Amino acid sequence: YTDVILISGNYDLNAVAIEISNDAKIHIDLSNNIKDLKQLVEGRYHTIFLSTSSKLFKKHYKGSFLDFCSYFEKYCKLLVLKENRGGSRIFDFKNKEPFQIPSITQPIVHSVGVGDVFDACFVSKYREFGIKKAAYLASWLASEYAVTTFPDDFKIGARRVLKTKIEDIISMGGCILPWEKRPLSDIYIAAPDFDYLDRSKIDLLVDSLSYHNFSPRRPVQENGQLSFESTKEEKALACSKDIELLKQCKLLIVVYINDDAGTLIELGYAAALGIPCLVFDPYNKANNCMLTEIPNTVSSDLDVIISEVFNQLSKN
């Protein structure tokens, strides 16, 4: 075999690697089983794949992709960093050349094995197409895989993509939002974020945004919660702070739990300022035409909202 993909697991990688012909190029995907690069044999691997969810990424990434690449230079010829729905970055150590590859960001049905599909497609096509074109194709096929759990549907989607000219695939673009750029665009969370209500859906959204390295801002948490006893001066100050925070943000997400007047006013205010607005409607209660037509997207599916966050903020 000319190319072999290894998926790291609970086994001795080096024991496997020495059994593979020296003429074969080894491509390895590092999962959380690899805690230290010293577990790898220097110079034995052609490609190292890893994602932003890996422990190695979190351990070594300090905000610079090129600095991050330097940790891997003596272990491989190509480093592929998969940044979830924000695209991928690749560094070719031989030619000292970086590549930025968009993702095809859309709501997904599942995520198990998506990275493996990317790896398999890239490795099977990089000799024929080169690094950039193979990575674009891999991104499209990974997206096709993620939108269905039915193998026959995936086959149909994969065949359609493979029949498309690679130049046309590249021309369609996609979503590029690197890890370190995501916190730079604050996201205003408009919701009845009060301690006497069930805030589990708000927490769910915020946790998901934080997982993807976004910067959600919760005005009630930051600027304080008012009460019936609050003075007019206190209310005016809180209102002013919330509006200033809103103006700093690049995106507003409503968590529509009830008809909280403040939440709905914030939505209209943001829309008037030209800030993109999304509505997370977990209980399918959004029926008012102003509430459904003003936002860019309304959905009860959190994954739809997260996908649209990537798409909206990648335009900034």
Side-chain angles (χ1 to χ4, degrees):
Y1 298 100
T2 57
D3 294 274
V4 178
I5 297 178
L6 295 181
I7 307 297
S8 63
N10 296 318
Y11 63 91
D12 187 339
L13 280 171
N14 296 331
V16 174
I18 61 174
E19 297 298 330
I20 297 173
S21 168
N22 289 328
D23 296 328
K25 296 185 185 299
I26 301 178
H27 313 266
I28 184 168
D29 195 309
L30 301 181
S31 68
N32 284 330
N33 302 89
I34 303 299
K35 298 179 181 179
D36 194 312
L37 289 173
K38 293 179 181 179
Q39 293 176 247
L40 304 178
V41 175
E42 292 184 16
R44 185 65 180 94
Y45 301 97
H46 182 274
T47 308
I48 288 180
F49 298 95
L50 79 162
S51 73
T52 50
S53 61
S54 71
K55 292 177 181 177
L56 280 173
F57 173 80
K58 293 173 181 176
K59 177 181 178 180
H60 293 294
Y61 201 83
K62 308 300 181 186
S64 167
F65 177 64
L66 294 181
D67 288 347
F68 178 68
C69 291
S70 65
Y71 292 105
F72 297 84
E73 185 169 6
K74 60 184 178 182
Y75 296 99
C76 62
K77 293 181 174 61
L78 280 181
L79 177 68
V80 180
L81 175 63
K82 295 176 286 188
E83 300 186 82
N84 199 277
R85 286 174 253 203
S88 303
R89 280 182 282 185
I90 302 173
F91 194 81
D92 177 1
F93 290 107
K94 180 180 179 181
N95 297 306
K96 306 298 180 184
E97 185 177 7
F99 299 89
Q100 185 115 48
I101 309 299
S103 68
I104 311 306
T105 299
Q106 56 186 327
I108 63 174
V109 174
H110 70 107
S111 59
V112 177
V114 175
D116 298 340
V117 171
F118 183 101
D119 298 352
C121 179
F122 178 83
V123 171
S124 68
K125 292 295 184 180
Y126 81 98
R127 291 179 184 270
E128 177 184 355
F129 288 159
I131 295 170
K132 179 180 177 180
K133 292 180 179 180
Y136 265 89
L137 188 61
S139 181
W140 272 83
L141 284 179
S143 178
E144 289 289 339
Y145 174 83
V147 299
T148 182
T149 57
F150 294 96
D152 288 342
D153 290 345
F154 174 51
K155 288 180 182 179
I156 292 171
R159 289 193 184 107
R160 182 177 63 250
V161 172
L162 291 170
K163 288 180 180 178
T164 304
K165 291 182 180 179
I166 190 65
E167 290 77 16
D168 291 339
I169 286 177
I170 293 174
S171 70
M172 286 186 274
C175 176
I176 294 177
L177 192 56
W179 180 264
E180 66 274 12
K181 289 188 178 181
R182 298 175 198 175
L184 303 180
S185 298
D186 289 342
I187 301 172
Y188 191 96
I189 307 300
D193 199 3
F194 309 124
D195 58 15
Y196 53 84
L197 294 178
D198 179 4
R199 296 184 288 189
S200 59
K201 298 301 182 183
I202 305 172
D203 293 336
L204 181 65
L205 170 67
V206 168
D207 289 345
S208 184
L209 291 170
S210 298
Y211 172 80
H212 290 292
N213 207 35
F214 290 113
S215 181
R217 306 294 298 273
R218 300 173 75 162
V220 177
Q221 302 281 327
E222 295 185 34
N223 296 330
Q225 178 174 312
L226 297 173
S227 68
F228 289 112
E229 289 75 33
S230 297
T231 65
K232 182 173 177 57
E233 289 75 15
E234 291 171 332
K235 292 178 181 179
L237 180 60
C239 178
S240 176
K241 286 183 176 180
D242 286 356
I243 289 175
E244 287 304 310
L245 177 59
L246 177 56
K247 289 178 179 179
Q248 295 173 21
C249 294
K250 301 297 184 182
L251 180 69
L252 175 139
I253 304 178
V254 167
V255 184
Y256 188 53
I257 297 173
N258 58 34
D259 290 324
D260 175 62
T263 298
L264 301 179
I265 290 170
E266 288 169 331
L267 170 63
Y269 199 105
L273 291 175
I275 298 172
C277 300
L278 313 177
V279 174
F280 176 38
D281 179 24
Y283 304 114
N284 286 300
K285 294 167 61 176
N287 296 310
N288 180 275
C289 67
M290 298 293 279
L291 181 57
T292 60
E293 302 311 309
I294 286 178
N296 301 73
T297 299
V298 179
S299 180
S300 60
D301 187 340
L302 179 59
D303 192 74
V304 171
I305 298 299
I306 297 301
S307 292
E308 195 58 25
V309 169
F310 275 94
N311 286 328
Q312 289 293 334
L313 293 183
S314 67
K315 299 174 185 178
N316 291 333

